């Protein structure tokens, strides 16, 4: 990856996730500007690391675009959420700089119904749907086979999602999903029983390359509310099955929507009846898979997408991409209970030789609100393991030695992953 010394990059949004953008762009020699409406930089910590910060609402496209022209901005980037990616796309279009996706492509990826229809056209299994419009009649509700999952048709981040095992739960679940839907549309679909997965593809000039396939382990005690991802493990135990059943159709889908550059990820479920796809994003995923991909094959889709934002070129070849890694690579996801963080102590685990990365998106003094969504996600611990014993031993050590306390000294960790689940 060549140096982009002196190029000026605008990052749309400045929360804890965006710190990764700032670090990568600076490593490439870029001058980094972060933009959002918050003047409180505890809310926007990426601004503290940037070369410059703008306290402007990034949805005000023309205002931000004019500021970009005055500042000589060469490119705009965003990730980790469709709203900010859409804003970055609009600003880029306004000032005439490259952007890897069109607004139509972004809209498609956030529309769960359109995505499922495309999956079926391309030969990829998708969950059955039982609701096309609201309100539903009593006859329609009575005809729904349970259990089902109810969610907004146009939102991600595990927002507005409920699992209904009884018919009397549907009304509340529908209202909950509507609250998180921009267009008031929801999806009621079969609740798949199986093992959650994700896959990541890197794209360059229309070439589509599978970069990794992960197994995801969700929380087990949500009482019908959204399950949160506790652990991500690569490579997937379903890797060969995925290559046979899903990979050709996903590549066909990406070609169908004319995705040319950038990175795309997919959420899937491996069941007794095969693998099903239920969601996608044409953006950076919250798991920051580029870190494991970079370690094992040298491909860094984060820096490639940054390169494209200021040059129109991804800046690297896909020849070395290989989704089958030689060791276990694990992401231990840190979710915190609601409250104010009083102490974070990672000293015991930071010295371990197989710990590759500890990324905390929250710090002492931050307040965690009780939302039962991905907003409880506060950090990730990434490590490698040469065998299964080292994998489970490391998880157990993290459980015992990674400490987050609230202001009163109470444990704030929402979950400690049970390594026996991997057996």
């Amino acid at each position: 990856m060549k140096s982009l010394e002196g190029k000026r990059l605008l990052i749309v949004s400045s929360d804890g996730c965006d710190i990764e953008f700032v670090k990568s762009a600076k490593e490439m020699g870029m001058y980094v500007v972060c933009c959002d409406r918050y003047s409180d930089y505890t809310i926007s910590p990426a601004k503290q690391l940037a070369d410059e910060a703008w306290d402007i609402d990034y949805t005000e496209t023309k205002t931000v675009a004019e500021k970009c022209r005055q500042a000589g901005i060469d490119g705009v980037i965003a990730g980790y959420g469709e709203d900010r990616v859409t804003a970055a796309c609009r600003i880029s279009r306004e000032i005439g700089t490259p952007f890897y996706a069109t607004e139509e492509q972004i809209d498609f990826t956030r529309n769960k119904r359109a995505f499922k229809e495309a999956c079926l056209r391309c030969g990829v299994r998708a969950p059955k749907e039982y609701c096309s419009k609201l309100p539903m009649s009593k006859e329609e509700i009575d005809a729904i086979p349970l259990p089902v999952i109810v969610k907004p048709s146009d939102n991600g981040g595990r927002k507005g999602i409920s699992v209904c095992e009884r018919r009397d739960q549907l009304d509340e679940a529908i209202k909950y999903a509507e609250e998180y839907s921009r267009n008031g549309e929801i999806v009621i679909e079969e609740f798949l029983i199986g093992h959650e997965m994700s896959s990541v593809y890197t794209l360059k000039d229309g070439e589509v390359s599978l970069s990794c396939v992960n197994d995801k382990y969700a929380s087990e005690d949500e009482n019908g509310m959204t399950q949160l991802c506790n652990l991500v493990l690569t490579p997937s135990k379903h890797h060969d099955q995925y290559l046979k059943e899903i990979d050709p159709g996903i590549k066909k889908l990406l070609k169908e929507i004319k995705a040319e550059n950038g990175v795309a990820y997919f959420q899937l479920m491996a069941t007794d009846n095969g693998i099903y796809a239920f969601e996608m994003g044409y953006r950076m995923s919250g798991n920051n898979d580029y870190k494991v991909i970079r370690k094992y094959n040298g491909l860094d889709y984060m820096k490639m997408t940054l390169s494209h934002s200021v040059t129109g070129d991804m800046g690297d070849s896909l020849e070395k991409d290989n989704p089958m890694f030689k060791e276990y690579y694990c992401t231990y996801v840190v979710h915190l209970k609601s409250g104010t963080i009083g102490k974070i102590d990672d000293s015991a685990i930071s010295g371990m030789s197989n710990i590759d990365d500890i990324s905390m998106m929250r710090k002492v003094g931050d307040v965690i609100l009780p939302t039962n969504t991905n907003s409880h996600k506060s950090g990730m611990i990434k490590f490698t393991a040469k065998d299964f014993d080292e994998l489970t031993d490391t998880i157990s050590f993290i459980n015992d030695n990674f400490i987050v306390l609230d202001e009163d000294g109470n444990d704030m960790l929402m979950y400690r992953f049970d390594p026996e689940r991997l057996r």
Side-chain angles (χ1 to χ4, degrees):
M1 185 70 63
K2 66 181 180 180
S3 169
L4 296 173
E5 195 72 38
K7 291 289 186 181
R8 289 176 163 254
L9 175 76
L10 177 71
I11 299 175
V12 165
S13 185
S14 312
D15 63 23
C17 296
D18 297 301
I19 290 172
E20 300 295 337
F21 274 125
V22 177
K23 288 180 178 178
S24 292
K26 285 197 163 191
E27 287 173 5
M28 299 169 75
M30 286 192 259
Y31 181 91
V32 179
V33 181
C34 281
C35 175
D36 64 23
R37 60 190 175 91
Y38 300 106
S39 57
D40 181 355
Y41 291 2
T42 62
I43 299 173
S44 301
K47 286 182 174 178
Q48 299 178 41
L49 300 179
D51 297 295
E52 190 174 335
W54 299 346
D55 302 337
I56 307 172
D57 187 337
Y58 53 68
T59 63
E60 297 178 4
T61 303
K62 292 191 180 298
T63 301
V64 178
E66 181 57 33
K67 183 80 170 175
C68 287
R69 294 188 191 99
Q70 294 171 2
I73 294 296
D74 297 296
V76 187
I77 196 66
Y80 308 109
E82 275 71 27
D83 284 344
R84 59 186 78 178
V85 174
T86 298
C89 178
R90 290 172 178 171
I91 296 165
S92 295
R93 185 176 60 207
E94 188 74 17
I95 65 175
T97 56
F99 200 76
Y100 69 91
T102 65
E103 192 168 343
E104 291 74 21
Q105 290 168 333
I106 300 164
D107 288 342
F108 165 80
T109 63
R110 76 189 309 163
N111 187 322
K112 294 177 174 61
R113 185 168 289 117
F115 169 67
K116 287 197 299 181
E117 291 171 355
C119 282
L120 296 174
R121 285 196 304 271
C122 296
V124 177
R125 294 185 190 90
K128 293 179 183 177
E129 188 172 334
Y130 305 113
C131 173
S132 58
K133 62 180 180 179
L134 294 175
M136 297 179 69
S137 68
K138 183 179 184 302
E139 291 75 17
E140 288 174 319
I141 291 176
D142 289 343
I144 295 175
L146 299 174
V148 293
I149 187 166
V150 184
K151 53 191 176 182
S153 67
D154 57 355
N155 210 332
R158 300 180 183 259
K159 298 182 181 74
I161 298 178
S162 304
V163 176
C164 297
E165 298 180 344
R166 303 190 316 273
R167 218 163 295 281
D168 61 7
Q169 296 173 317
L170 278 169
D171 284 345
E172 184 177 347
I174 289 170
K175 291 177 183 176
Y176 182 52
E178 284 184 296
E179 289 177 9
Y180 285 92
S181 173
R182 289 162 180 77
N183 58 19
E185 295 184 4
I186 68 163
V187 171
I188 301 177
E189 64 187 22
E190 65 177 316
F191 180 65
L192 298 173
I193 307 296
H195 192 91
E196 195 170 344
M197 304 170 60
S198 64
S199 60
V200 177
Y201 289 80
T202 307
L203 300 93
K204 175 181 167 62
D205 299 331
E207 182 183 356
V208 181
S209 178
L210 176 63
S211 296
C212 72
V213 184
N214 305 316
D215 287 333
K216 303 178 72 175
Y217 293 83
S219 56
E220 296 183 310
D221 55 352
E222 291 298 310
N223 297 317
M225 296 301 290
T226 306
Q227 290 183 307
L228 300 175
C229 178
N230 291 171
L231 195 93
V232 181
L233 189 61
T234 314
S236 168
K237 60 187 175 184
H238 304 286
H239 183 89
D240 292 343
Q241 181 185 4
Y242 180 91
L243 286 180
K244 180 180 179 181
E245 292 184 13
I246 303 296
D247 181 60
I250 292 295
K251 288 177 175 175
K252 183 178 179 181
L253 183 151
L254 289 168
K255 294 283 187 181
E256 180 180 288
I257 67 169
K258 297 181 171 58
E260 296 281 331
N261 294 288
V263 60
Y265 71 92
F266 295 83
Q267 306 280 16
L268 312 113
M269 186 74 75
T271 76
D272 290 342
N273 297 318
I275 299 175
Y276 291 71
F278 59 87
E279 194 167 318
M280 78 166 288
Y282 191 15
R283 58 173 173 81
M284 307 289 173
S285 74
N287 193 50
N288 286 337
D289 297 284
Y290 72 91
K291 292 181 178 179
V292 57
I293 296 165
R294 177 178 64 195
K295 175 170 181 173
Y296 284 110
N297 61 31
L299 192 77
D300 189 331
Y301 67 68
M302 167 71 85
K303 289 186 176 180
M304 291 175 71
T305 307
L306 287 169
S307 171
H308 185 276
S309 70
V310 296
T311 68
D313 182 77
M314 292 287 281
D316 201 355
S317 166
L318 298 178
E319 293 178 357
K320 51 194 175 186
D321 205 11
N322 182 355
M324 197 63 196
F325 308 135
K326 296 178 181 179
E327 296 179 296
Y328 289 112
Y329 199 99
C330 184
T331 301
Y332 185 112
V333 185
V334 179
H335 291 99
L336 298 182
K337 301 172 187 175
S338 58
T340 302
I341 301 173
K343 178 181 180 180
I344 300 174
D345 184 358
D346 62 8
S347 58
I349 66 169
S350 60
M352 298 175 67
S353 60
N354 63 331
I355 298 288
D356 293 317
D357 186 76
I358 302 173
S359 300
M360 288 301 294
M361 296 176 284
R362 303 281 193 164
K363 64 183 184 310
V364 172
D366 285 355
V367 178
I368 311 297
L369 299 176
T371 64
N372 289 310
T373 70
N374 267 349
S375 64
H376 286 271
K377 181 178 177 180
S378 302
M380 291 180 287
I381 303 166
K382 293 183 179 289
F383 67 90
T384 51
K386 61 181 180 298
D387 55 36
F388 190 81
D389 287 340
E390 185 178 17
L391 172 65
T392 56
D393 287 348
T394 303
I395 293 170
S396 296
F397 191 85
I398 292 171
N399 284 338
D400 294 338
N401 294 278
F402 179 69
I403 298 169
V404 183
L405 305 177
D406 67 16
E407 290 181 315
D408 297 319
N410 299 310
D411 180 22
M412 286 193 73
L413 288 180
M414 187 177 283
Y415 313 109
R416 283 179 172 80
F417 185 82
D418 180 4
E420 289 301 310
R421 290 180 61 187
L422 300 178
R423 299 186 187 278

